[in-house]
């Protein structure tokens, strides 16, 4: 399985510094909803502390946690791909502190600095590949112990 990638540590220092100029420090109380699946993806976060649960609504009454994110993890990638809608929901599992980035500002910076833009796309792709591999592994474990879903 691929190793977990942390966005800010994966960026070269000069690119990280440019991106961090756009960061706003935010916090979320435990159990607060950060975003809902289908909502407009116009920002993203890098978790500084705490834990965030990514979830999928499977019935009107039930959400299933598909991943838990912690310090250094990227929260939100839908801002990078049309139709710019969240694929999952997110909830603060504990009190969370994070850096928030406005997607439009980051995309404008990426046009201004194409090397930074390319780095962001590559790193986000690596993060997605890791999360896909982790999800696949969890599904295989579930199937092995519980049979077909």
């Amino acid at each position: 399985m691929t190793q977990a990638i942390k966005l800010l540590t994966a960026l070269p220092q000069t690119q990280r510094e440019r991106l961090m100029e756009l960061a706003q420090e935010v916090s979320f109380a435990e159990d607060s909803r950060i975003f809902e699946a289908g909502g407009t993806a116009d920002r993203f976060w890098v978790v500084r502390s705490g834990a965030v649960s990514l979830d999928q609504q499977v019935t009107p009454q039930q959400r299933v946690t598909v991943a838990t994110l912690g310090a250094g993890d990227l929260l939100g990638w839908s801002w990078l791909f049309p139709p710019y809608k969240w694929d999952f929901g997110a909830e603060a599992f504990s009190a969370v502190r994070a850096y928030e980035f406005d997607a439009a500002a980051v995309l404008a910076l990426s046009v201004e600095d194409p090397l930074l833009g390319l780095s962001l796309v590559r790193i986000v792709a690596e993060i997605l590949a890791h999360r896909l591999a982790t999800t696949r592994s969890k599904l295989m474990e579930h199937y092995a112990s519980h049979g077909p879903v």
Side-chain angles (χ1 to χ4, degrees):
M1 185 178 320
T2 59
Q3 177 119 357
I5 304 295
K6 307 292 185 185
L7 175 66
L8 295 179
T9 56
L11 281 171
Q13 181 178 350
T14 56
Q15 292 178 354
R16 180 174 53 249
E17 289 170 356
R18 291 203 71 198
L19 180 64
M20 289 304 295
E21 291 174 5
L22 302 177
Q24 300 292 318
E25 292 188 31
V26 297
S27 60
F28 301 99
E30 181 177 356
D31 296 329
S32 63
R33 293 297 290 174
I34 300 170
F35 56 83
E36 295 289 347
T40 301
D42 60 357
R43 62 198 65 246
F44 65 95
W45 300 264
V46 173
V47 178
R48 295 180 59 211
S49 64
V52 175
S53 298
L54 293 179
D55 57 50
Q56 185 69 55
Q57 191 87 35
V58 292
T59 69
Q61 299 80 27
Q62 183 184 14
R63 289 186 174 117
V64 174
T65 297
V66 296
T68 301
L69 307 178
D73 287 332
L74 172 67
L75 171 59
W77 49 265
S78 298
W79 61 275
L80 193 52
F81 305 103
Y84 310 109
K85 300 288 183 191
W86 298 119
D87 287 317
F88 301 100
E91 185 170 309
F93 185 72
S94 64
V96 172
R97 292 177 38 217
Y99 293 118
E100 182 177 86
F101 298 88
D102 178 83
V106 172
L107 292 171
L109 178 61
S110 297
V111 169
E112 178 187 315
D113 184 346
L115 290 177
L116 172 59
L118 180 59
S119 292
L120 283 172
V121 170
R122 284 184 172 167
I123 293 166
V124 171
E126 287 184 56
I127 291 167
L128 290 173
H130 177 264
R131 290 190 187 162
L132 177 61
T134 301
T135 301
R136 184 179 322 131
S137 175
K138 286 181 183 178
L139 288 173
M140 289 171 41
E141 288 173 16
H142 177 81
Y143 183 80
S145 63
H146 297 96
V149 182

